[in-house]
Amino acid sequence: MHTTTRRAWSAIGAAAATALVLSACTGGGARTAPDTVTSSPAPSSTATVASLVPDGEPADVVTGLDAPWSVVRTGDGPEALISERDSAKVLELAADGSTREVGTVPGVRSGGEGGLLGLALHDGDLYVYSTAEDGNRIQRFALAGDTGSYRLGDATTILDGLPSSGIHNGGRIAFGPDGMLYASVGDAGNGPDAQDRDSLAGKILRMTADGDVPAANPFPDSYVWSLGHRNVQGMGWAEDGTMFAAEFGQNTWDELNLVEKGSNYGWPEFEGKGGTDEGFVDPVQQWATSDASPSGLAVIGDTVFVANLQGESVRAVPVSDPSQSTEWFGGDFGRVRTVLEGPEGVLWFVTNNTDGRGDPRDDDDRIVAVPLSRG
């Protein structure tokens, strides 16, 4: 049983709601100062770049997690499901901060960057991306029971045999505003495959909830939605349908990309910007790999939040000007694996210090909540 050291959720929820109201009325009060601002050009004096910012003291939602990778909330409150990469367990988070085991995904091969990775909820079913002996796969589990008593039902494999390796497995899955399931597949350590349309490595895939190829996909009878990716681990959509993806670079540049149907993002021919003359799409923002290693991504209102592993921070990017970003919590919590919208105007972020690459702190790993207000 994992335990929590957080405040009562009613208190932090009320604080978040109050902060949002005060911010709307007064333009915002005192807030935690950002650690750094990127060197991207500042908006012009006539531009208005609205965004949400952390505004308040972070509080633990739950502690004692073992290499958490993905978190999906199951309702309007703080209840959620959590994947643990190495144990292959799915945990249920209760409103009081306690957890219980929902089940263990069978046949998961953990090791390196593989294991139990992304989760997504759709029409009462739990979708799971994991590494098996014969490659990465996406499965759909009937989620039996109800809040406080969920359990994994029967599994249906909707896509398997995806390229896998000890590195670059991708692993993020999410349902887009079009109702389709999107999945990021890494290059599995073989960069040239990212340019091969017949390979699913180094791609973002798009499929129906049953695993079929949608007729509107850019290439006939292909799951491929976009290509030329090294290792995407964050995907999200703005309210206008714009799709963002966070991508690990190799030695020079990590990337934030605007993902469009059928587009090629250049890996391994280009890392970072510089590929437009060759027909590739440049990132809208890039960061030195030592400062970022972006993993999970969430779009909340008009702001893209990006989790950073090596950078040990959370970045906030305005949807209206994605060349800008502000870094928060630099070094305060160690490696950050993913981010998501919490209840009542709160940002959740998930640490990842127990995966063998971090420096665990007392009670790691954890989910941390911080109120948001208008910047």
Side-chain angles (χ1 to χ4, degrees):
M1 180 74 71
H2 302 290
T3 59
T4 178
T5 59
R6 62 176 177 84
R7 299 170 181 157
W9 260 104
S10 58
I12 193 168
T18 301
L20 285 167
V21 172
L22 289 175
S23 177
C25 296
T26 67
R31 58 177 61 92
T32 305
D35 298 297
T36 61
V37 178
T38 67
S39 58
S40 301
S44 66
S45 59
T46 59
T48 300
V49 183
S51 62
L52 294 171
V53 297
D55 186 7
E57 184 178 351
D60 289 338
V61 177
V62 62
T63 59
L65 301 173
D66 180 13
W69 209 93
S70 185
V71 178
V72 289
R73 290 172 54 214
T74 56
D76 295 332
E79 297 85 3
L81 299 176
I82 304 166
S83 67
E84 291 191 330
R85 187 192 69 184
D86 298 336
S87 70
K89 293 178 181 178
V90 176
L91 306 178
E92 180 180 7
L93 171 65
D96 64 1
S98 63
T99 65
R100 55 175 291 275
E101 185 176 332
V102 174
T104 299
V105 175
V108 173
R109 187 190 69 188
S110 298
E113 297 174 4
L116 177 56
L117 303 177
L119 302 178
L121 282 171
H122 182 68
D123 289 344
D125 291 327
L126 181 66
Y127 287 73
V128 174
Y129 187 114
S130 65
T131 308
E133 289 295 333
D134 59 351
N136 289 308
R137 62 189 177 175
I138 301 171
Q139 295 174 290
R140 181 179 63 221
F141 287 84
L143 195 59
D146 205 343
T147 302
S149 63
Y150 285 125
R151 63 186 185 278
L152 295 181
D154 294 335
T156 300
T157 299
I158 64 171
L159 185 62
D160 60 4
L162 296 171
S164 66
S165 175
I167 57 174
H168 307 176
N169 288 288
R172 196 66 62 183
I173 53 175
F175 279 88
D178 57 3
M180 296 296 168
L181 177 61
Y182 291 75
S184 68
V185 183
D187 70 5
N190 188 358
D193 281 352
Q195 290 297 319
D196 180 358
R197 287 213 317 235
D198 292 329
S199 170
L200 297 184
K203 311 295 193 299
I204 292 176
L205 310 182
R206 178 178 181 261
M207 67 199 75
T208 70
D210 292 325
D212 297 324
V213 175
N217 274 13
F219 310 113
D221 301 317
S222 174
Y223 290 105
V224 174
W225 184 250
S226 62
L227 64 155
H229 299 289
R230 183 173 181 267
N231 194 26
V232 169
Q233 285 190 2
M235 301 184 296
W237 291 263
E239 292 177 356
D240 65 359
T242 300
M243 183 178 181
F244 291 87
E247 181 165 348
F248 289 85
Q250 184 172 13
N251 298 316
T252 309
W253 298 114
D254 293 324
E255 301 179 358
L256 178 66
N257 285 298
L258 295 183
V259 177
E260 297 182 343
K261 176 180 179 178
S263 293
N264 189 329
Y265 292 84
W267 176 255
E269 303 301 321
F270 287 88
E271 181 182 355
K273 297 180 180 180
T276 54
D277 290 343
E278 304 295 328
F280 301 121
V281 178
D282 277 352
V284 292
Q285 189 169 168
Q286 62 187 28
W287 308 285
T289 54
S290 58
D291 295 333
S293 295
S295 185
L297 177 154
V299 185
I300 304 176
D302 56 11
T303 306
V304 182
F305 291 95
V306 183
N308 294 275
L309 292 165
Q310 191 161 333
E312 298 189 349
S313 65
V314 175
R315 278 190 171 85
V317 177
V319 168
S320 62
D321 185 359
S323 67
Q324 300 278 321
S325 68
T326 306
E327 186 178 348
W328 299 87
F329 312 116
D332 291 347
F333 295 93
R335 292 159 54 85
V336 183
R337 171 61 71 181
T338 195
V339 288
L340 68 152
E341 184 173 7
E344 299 186 67
V346 168
L347 173 71
W348 281 10
F349 58 92
V350 183
T351 69
N352 206 184
N353 298 315
T354 59
D355 69 346
R357 295 184 175 182
D359 183 15
R361 298 140 193 243
D362 290 345
D363 298 324
D364 270 344
D365 270 312
R366 64 192 69 230
I367 300 174
V368 181
V370 62
L372 294 171
S373 71
R374 180 66 54 197

